[in-house]
């Protein structure tokens, strides 16, 4: 997962019930068995829930990556809470220098804001 992030790819793994987890689940929540099937996902997703942090002037959101079934929490870059909505489409904005960590996705931006370059 982290090596893929370093390469600007988002991956997930597949549970026994077919659900795709990203970030990864180490063990299947249904069977308890290790999860070993990996899939490559998009760098776009949908906000399923969000909150505005006025102290940091940023948004935190649960983003369900396209191709995944389970959301990840991450930062969304917008100027204010009036620019956010549940169901909003977002795209990963990659860090200039990736190192193999969750912060390789610097934040998400509204999909209409352009590419993730």
């Amino acid at each position: 997962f982290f090596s893929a992030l370093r390469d600007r790819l988002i991956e997930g793994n597949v549970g026994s019930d077919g659900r795709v987890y990203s970030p990864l689940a180490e063990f299947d929540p249904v069977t308890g068995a290790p999860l070993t099937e990996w899939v490559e996902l998009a760098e776009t997703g949908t906000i399923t829930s969000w909150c505005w942090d006025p102290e940091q002037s940023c948004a935190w959101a649960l983003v369900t990556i396209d191709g995944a079934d389970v959301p990840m929490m991450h930062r969304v870059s917008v100027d204010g809470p009036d620019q956010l909505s549940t169901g909003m489409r977002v795209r990963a904005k990659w860090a200039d220098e990736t190192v193999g960590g969750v912060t390789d996705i610097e934040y998400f931006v509204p999909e209409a804001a352009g590419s993730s370059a």
Side-chain angles (χ1 to χ4, degrees):
F1 179 73
F2 294 113
S3 295
L5 288 175
R6 184 188 61 231
D7 296 333
R8 294 187 167 104
L9 298 171
I10 300 174
E11 292 185 331
N13 55 9
V14 183
S16 63
D17 60 358
R19 285 187 296 173
V20 176
Y21 298 88
S22 184
L24 305 178
E26 187 173 356
F27 297 99
D28 190 313
V30 176
T31 66
L35 292 178
T36 57
E37 183 183 346
W38 294 58
V39 292
E40 188 174 315
L41 303 173
E43 60 180 34
T44 54
T46 302
I47 292 177
T48 58
S49 183
W50 61 272
C51 68
W52 180 256
D53 182 344
E55 289 184 22
Q56 295 184 23
S57 282
C58 75
W60 294 97
L62 292 176
V63 176
T64 303
I65 301 296
D66 293 341
D69 297 296
V70 178
M72 70 165 62
M73 187 170 87
H74 215 298
R75 195 164 65 94
V76 178
S77 179
V78 292
D79 292 328
D82 57 327
Q83 296 179 349
L84 290 162
S85 63
T86 299
M88 175 184 220
R89 299 284 302 154
V90 293
R91 175 176 296 282
K93 191 322 191 160
W94 297 98
D96 291 335
E97 186 175 326
T98 57
V99 296
V102 73
T103 56
D104 288 345
I105 300 174
E106 195 170 349
Y107 47 78
F108 284 86
V109 296
E111 197 167 41
S115 78
S116 63

